[in-house]
Amino acid sequence: MRRPATDIPEDHGEYVRLMLEMIVLAFWADASRVATCMLDHGQSNRYFNFIDGVQGTWHALSHWKDISGKTEDDDGETSWSSRDEKREMYNRVTAWHTSQVAYLLRRLGEIEEQGSTLLDNSMIVYGSSLGDGHAHEEKNLPLLLAGRGGGSIRPGRLIQQRGETSMSDLHLALLQTLGVPQERFAESDSPLTLS
């Protein structure tokens, strides 16, 4: 096996996979059981033209209602023929991001650990800070919680809350699941039920 190059790959897909593999290795080696990985931030001007049928930057695509290419969020060069076309491109980038998370989950699920898998012994949260990038709206956030947390989480279900629920409720539940004696997190004192 050849040692990888020491610089950051120019290919964004290769770079993301490298970061995800580092998380897998850190968990597997028990060097760390806590990691964060931001696939792209909301202000990213990264082009996703490497995805078939996509043109424009991530930030511009998130403002899917503006198609002229002349707003402050655009690059001044790319325009779109319709909102539907632009929203489809935005959805393709979102699908690409989600496929990277699926890769991470698959890799964690392939590694045996104490009679189960590394994924079974992990809690992976994937989501977004915005429910609608165009409106900068933080309601109805799409979130995924994967893994079984060593048996403390019952997977394979949709958890729906009544009324408005803060993401801090999830964070508080995760802290308590990890054994952190925390009664509050941010504005939350009501952890979600994960078991």
Side-chain angles (χ1 to χ4, degrees):
M1 181 180 247
R2 212 170 50 112
R3 184 183 183 102
T6 57
D7 54 343
I8 295 174
E10 287 191 32
D11 179 285
H12 184 61
E14 182 182 345
Y15 174 67
V16 168
R17 291 285 170 98
L18 181 62
M19 294 295 101
L20 297 176
E21 284 294 338
M22 288 177 63
I23 292 171
V24 171
L25 288 173
F27 284 18
W28 191 8
D30 216 7
S32 176
R33 288 298 176 115
V34 177
T36 61
C37 181
M38 183 183 294
L39 295 174
D40 271 296
H41 62 83
Q43 293 291 333
S44 173
N45 285 320
R46 177 182 320 286
Y47 284 90
F48 281 86
N49 299 359
F50 61 88
I51 299 172
D52 286 341
V54 174
Q55 61 184 19
T57 67
W58 176 230
H59 188 196
L61 289 170
S62 75
H63 289 276
W64 55 270
K65 290 183 180 179
D66 300 324
I67 62 171
S68 70
K70 297 181 177 160
T71 72
E72 65 184 25
D73 299 311
D74 296 318
D75 63 9
E77 298 172 17
T78 309
S79 63
W80 301 268
S81 62
S82 70
R83 286 179 171 182
D84 288 342
E85 177 192 47
K86 190 174 183 185
R87 186 173 46 222
E88 174 59 29
M89 290 181 193
Y90 176 75
N91 289 340
R92 287 180 186 204
V93 176
T94 301
W96 183 85
H97 282 131
T98 304
S99 73
Q100 304 313 300
V101 176
Y103 173 83
L104 172 66
L105 299 178
R106 186 171 49 255
R107 289 286 294 124
L108 291 171
E110 294 170 348
I111 299 171
E112 292 183 26
E113 181 181 67
Q114 302 168 358
S116 58
T117 68
L118 199 51
L119 178 58
D120 287 333
N121 294 323
S122 299
M123 297 183 293
I124 307 296
V125 177
Y126 171 62
S128 174
S129 60
L130 294 174
D132 179 352
H134 186 80
H136 292 187
E137 187 175 81
E138 70 269 352
K139 293 184 178 192
N140 297 319
L141 297 180
L143 293 174
L144 169 74
L145 175 60
R148 295 179 186 269
S152 59
I153 298 173
R154 185 169 53 94
R157 61 198 168 109
L158 175 65
I159 300 174
Q160 289 185 310
Q161 299 296 112
R162 293 182 189 204
E164 291 190 18
T165 303
S166 171
M167 192 164 27
S168 297
D169 295 351
L170 171 62
H171 291 141
L172 181 58
L174 294 173
L175 286 170
Q176 291 177 354
T177 299
L178 288 169
V180 177
Q182 194 74 28
E183 297 301 319
R184 293 191 61 79
F185 183 83
E187 75 281 354
S188 175
D189 60 3
S190 304
L192 289 179
T193 302
L194 302 177
S195 56

